[in-house]
């Protein structure tokens, strides 16, 4: 008999003992449902950090705290999430890149 079988038997015994007086059955745990954020987290994990240039950026304390929590809970590096977020933002708003290109064309040096 293995440990898993023993643990399952013990859980069933506890459920039965707890429910003898009430006549109710304790529902078993539902399998963890898929979180709506899972595809986003996977996209961030799959994001490749390419490039060699480093930038010093300033972020507010609340954002830093959130990034640190994300590092602890999901194992996602701050640099990776910032890179992913900026790339995602620029892809969703191509007019920004177009505006920069047009401004540089019209810039007189």
């Amino acid at each position: 008999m293995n440990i898993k079988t023993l643990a399952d038997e013990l859980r069933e015994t506890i459920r039965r003992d707890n429910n003898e007086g009430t006549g109710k059955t304790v529902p078993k745990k539902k399998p963890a449902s898929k979180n709506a954020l899972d595809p986003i987290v996977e996209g961030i994990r799959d994001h490749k950090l390419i490039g060699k240039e480093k930038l010093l950026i300033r972020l507010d304390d609340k954002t830093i705290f959130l990034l640190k929590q994300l590092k602890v809970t999901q194992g996602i590096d701050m640099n990776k999430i910032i890179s992913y977020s900026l790339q995602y933002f620029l892809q969703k708003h191509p007019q920004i890149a177009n505006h920069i290109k047009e401004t540089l064309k019209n810039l007189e040096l």
Side-chain angles (χ1 to χ4, degrees):
M1 196 176 256
N2 63 27
I3 293 175
K4 187 174 182 178
T5 307
L6 288 173
D8 290 338
E9 285 180 23
L10 183 59
R11 281 188 210 102
E12 286 299 318
T13 305
I14 292 170
R15 279 193 193 110
R16 264 187 269 123
D17 291 346
N18 287 341
N19 294 328
E20 282 179 356
T22 62
K24 296 179 183 176
T25 58
V26 176
K28 291 185 179 181
K29 282 187 178 180
K30 295 179 183 177
S33 63
K34 196 154 190 162
N35 191 343
L37 293 178
D38 286 346
I40 297 170
V41 172
E42 286 305 312
I44 296 169
R45 283 194 179 120
D46 294 341
H47 179 73
K48 301 291 183 218
L49 283 175
I50 53 175
K52 296 182 182 187
E53 190 167 345
K54 295 180 180 182
L55 299 173
L56 177 65
I57 62 169
R58 264 179 227 263
L59 299 171
D60 60 286
D61 293 339
K62 188 176 178 181
T63 303
I64 293 290
F65 183 72
L66 181 65
L67 289 172
K68 286 179 180 179
Q69 287 180 325
L70 198 59
K71 171 70 174 169
V72 171
T73 60
Q74 299 293 325
I76 299 174
D77 185 52
M78 287 184 201
N79 292 319
K80 190 175 259 197
I81 185 109
I82 292 169
S83 173
Y84 175 86
S85 300
L86 185 57
Q87 190 175 36
Y88 180 82
F89 179 77
L90 291 173
Q91 286 174 353
K92 290 293 181 187
H93 302 284
Q95 66 271 22
I96 294 173
N98 294 335
H99 176 72
I100 293 170
K101 288 176 188 175
E102 288 300 318
T103 303
L104 288 174
K105 280 184 191 176
N106 298 330
L107 186 67
E108 292 182 33
L109 296 176

